[in-house]
């Protein structure tokens, strides 16, 4: 195997694990905010924080704001915001394992539509089975929660499809910045719950259980960077190198990463079925190796 082939095989999953690590560290911040701010408002903080950081970091040029580019970037930003909002609202009504499993139906659908060989189908089955075992699905909660999780799944599928189109244009990070600005503006009414949480309080006075307004804004920025800006920017790098179907399979590495973080940081040893699920996902990623038509020309 040549160095280029080895890089094309190992770099995408490595970047996905790196992005997932950042995302789940940010998720710890998000969970801590749920007691003080509505889940939808936390999702808005996540998008708005990412938009602000990306604007400062990327400084999109004037042409990035032209309608010809802004149309796709805006749709991508809105579908991403919808994915985050519906996922957080589903988490407030369903067990996390059930929510993750239902949301993963989106990538599974994309992978299924892109499957062309028996190897593809085998990888798809292994990834789906692995996610279900890792997620520890418990069918409890509300019907509304199930509908929200399914809506998050549809948005996740849209995120993959639109994200590939954004990456193909070669200016993915610029379009991330402008798209998230559009999304933050369109969903800005959700900021009402943030304002409500700090209404009538001084800048140093605590909100809820000791979270000050200044700390709330700071956590929103951390959430935007860790859970959105970093992982979604890395997604753009991966999407430029692989097809949508393989990217959808690689997304199964997210719950695997969460399980590993739980083991290392929290000492949460995976149950036997979770260990089987992790092995199934790893095998799925190995089976769904790089296809020649997915490697961009050098």
């Amino acid at each position: 195997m040549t160095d280029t082939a080895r890089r094309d095989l190992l770099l995408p999953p490595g970047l996905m694990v790196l992005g997932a690590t950042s995302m789940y560290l940010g998720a710890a911040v998000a969970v801590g905010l749920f007691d003080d701010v509505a889940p939808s408002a936390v999702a808005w903080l996540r998008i708005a924080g990412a938009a602000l950081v990306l604007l400062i970091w990327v400084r999109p040029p004037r042409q990035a704001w032209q309608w010809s580019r802004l149309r796709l970037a805006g749709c991508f930003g809105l579908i991403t915001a919808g994915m985050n909002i519906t996922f957080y609202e589903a988490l407030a009504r369903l067990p996390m394992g059930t929510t993750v499993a239902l949301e993963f139906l989106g990538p599974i659908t994309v992978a299924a539509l892109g499957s062309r060989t028996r190897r593809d189908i085998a990888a798809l089955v292994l990834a789906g089975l692995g996610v279900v075992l890792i997620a520890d699905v418990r069918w409890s909660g509300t019907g509304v929660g199930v509908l929200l999780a399914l809506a998050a799944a549809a948005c996740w599928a849209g995120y993959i499809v639109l994200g590939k189109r954004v990456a193909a244009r070669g200016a993915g990070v610029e379009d991330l910045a402008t798209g998230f600005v559009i999304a933050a503006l369109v969903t800005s009414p959700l900021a009402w719950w943030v304002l409500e949480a700090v209404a009538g309080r001084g800048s140093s006075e605590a909100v809820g259980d000791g979270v000050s307004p200044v700390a709330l804004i700071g956590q929103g920025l951390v959430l935007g960077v860790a859970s959105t800006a970093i992982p979604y920017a890395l997604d753009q790098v991966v999407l430029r190198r692989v097809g949508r179907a393989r990217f959808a399979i690689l997304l199964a590495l997210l719950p695997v990463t969460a399980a590993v973080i739980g083991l290392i940081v929290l000492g949460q040893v995976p149950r036997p079925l979770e260990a089987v699920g992790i092995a199934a996902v790893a095998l799925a990623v190995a089976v769904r190796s790089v296809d020649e038509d997915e490697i961009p020309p050098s």
Side-chain angles (χ1 to χ4, degrees):
M1 180 181 291
T2 65
D3 290 341
T4 299
R6 187 178 295 107
R7 184 181 66 244
D8 289 327
L9 182 65
L10 299 178
L11 184 61
L15 292 177
M16 294 295 290
V17 169
L18 181 62
T21 301
S22 179
M23 181 179 294
Y24 286 117
L25 291 176
V29 177
V31 171
L33 289 173
F34 281 176
D35 289 338
D36 302 308
V37 186
S40 294
V42 174
W44 180 82
L45 275 174
R46 175 177 171 177
I47 289 292
L52 179 60
V53 170
L54 285 171
L55 277 178
I56 296 172
W57 174 39
V58 179
R59 297 182 181 179
R62 182 176 299 178
Q63 58 265 32
W65 299 97
Q66 294 176 352
W67 178 245
S68 57
R69 283 183 58 179
L70 201 59
R71 181 173 57 230
L72 176 59
C75 289
F76 178 65
L78 287 171
I79 203 74
T80 304
M83 177 177 67
N84 293 334
I85 291 168
T86 51
F87 179 72
Y88 279 3
E89 288 291 347
L91 274 181
R93 296 168 173 83
L94 294 174
M96 179 175 288
T98 305
T99 306
V100 169
L102 288 173
E103 189 192 29
F104 202 76
L105 289 174
I108 288 293
T109 300
V110 174
L113 293 176
S115 297
R116 300 185 300 274
T117 66
R118 291 181 179 177
R119 183 188 63 183
D120 295 342
I121 295 173
L124 176 62
V125 172
L126 285 169
L129 176 63
V131 169
V132 170
L133 292 177
I134 296 168
D136 188 21
V137 179
R138 295 184 178 89
W139 293 107
S140 62
T142 67
V144 173
V146 172
L147 292 176
L148 286 166
L150 292 176
C155 289
W156 205 358
Y159 169 84
I160 298 170
V161 174
L162 292 179
K164 180 63 178 178
R165 291 181 59 189
V166 168
R169 292 203 303 200
V173 179
E174 292 179 1
D175 289 338
L176 276 181
T178 57
F180 287 168
V181 168
I182 297 298
L185 291 174
V186 171
T187 59
S188 59
L190 295 174
W192 169 260
W193 281 280
V194 178
L195 296 175
E196 189 177 58
V198 300
R201 305 174 192 271
S203 61
S204 62
E205 187 173 350
V207 178
D209 294 328
V211 181
S212 72
V214 172
L216 184 63
I217 299 302
Q219 287 174 318
L221 290 174
V222 171
L223 187 60
V225 173
S227 285
T228 303
I230 292 176
Y232 293 169
L234 291 175
D235 281 356
Q236 285 295 302
V237 176
V238 176
L239 280 165
R240 289 190 66 182
R241 305 186 69 88
V242 306
R244 294 181 303 188
R246 187 180 178 218
F247 180 79
I249 294 296
L250 287 172
L251 286 171
L253 290 171
L254 270 62
V256 171
T257 304
V260 173
I261 290 175
L263 173 62
I264 296 174
V265 178
L266 303 176
Q268 297 174 343
V269 179
R271 296 174 299 104
L273 286 180
E274 287 180 300
V276 172
I278 292 172
V281 170
L283 183 58
V285 172
V287 168
R288 190 62 170 85
S289 57
V290 177
D291 289 331
E292 291 183 359
D293 62 343
E294 289 184 347
I295 303 176
S298 57

